[in-house]
Amino acid sequence: QVQLVESGGGLVQAGGSLRLSCAASGRTFSNTAMAWFRQNSGKEREFVALWSEGRTNYADSVKGRFIISRDNAKNTVVLQMNSLKPEDTAVYYCALRVRPNYSHIYTGVGGYDHWGQGTQVTVSS
């Protein structure tokens, strides 16, 4: 059984930074794609960033401010969030897809097999 556990959320002022981590357990970390999504109450869950075979992909709203990275030795994916804005406030979720097609960029929630429980990020103005 795959488990994803996010950490690192919290309250930060606009312009500040936060670092989210997602620790995966329960299976080998190889041959997987991992991503971050976020969701505000009443809104759909939206794609933030993807790490897949060393390639990264970002939503336009976070490009240039967020960085996704992966530590295979620790089975962890990290989202470094810089220059945070109030509109970045959301619950952030880690997601994992097993055996991805590496020619495809998975930005929809349906593309992922496993999800974490989420961590709250609040950016004050």
Side-chain angles (χ1 to χ4, degrees):
Q1 181 73 15
V2 173
Q3 281 195 316
L4 303 176
V5 179
E6 301 100 334
S7 61
L11 173 65
V12 64
Q13 288 190 331
S17 298
L18 279 176
R19 182 180 174 92
L20 305 183
S21 293
C22 173
S25 62
R27 63 154 281 132
T28 178
F29 211 44
S30 61
N31 200 15
T32 61
M34 295 193 73
W36 288 93
F37 285 73
R38 65 187 182 186
Q39 187 172 23
N40 268 316
S41 58
K43 294 187 178 180
E44 291 187 353
R45 194 167 297 188
E46 65 174 4
F47 170 77
V48 174
L50 164 69
W51 193 101
S52 179
E53 277 293 289
R55 297 180 304 161
T56 58
N57 190 271
Y58 298 93
D60 288 342
S61 59
V62 307
K63 210 170 285 185
R65 299 187 298 122
F66 290 12
I67 301 171
I68 187 170
S69 61
R70 180 159 146 168
D71 185 339
N72 287 330
K74 296 180 180 179
N75 282 7
T76 300
V77 65
V78 171
L79 185 68
Q80 178 66 42
M81 306 186 295
N82 302 316
S83 302
L84 283 160
K85 305 175 181 180
E87 50 264 43
D88 294 318
T89 295
V91 178
Y92 283 70
Y93 296 91
C94 175
L96 181 149
R97 180 183 174 93
V98 178
R99 292 186 294 278
N101 177 347
Y102 290 113
S103 65
H104 185 76
I105 298 174
Y106 296 92
T107 60
V109 296
Y112 293 86
D113 309 297
H114 303 282
W115 293 84
Q117 82 289 348
T119 184
Q120 176 71 47
V121 171
T122 303
V123 184
S124 63
S125 57

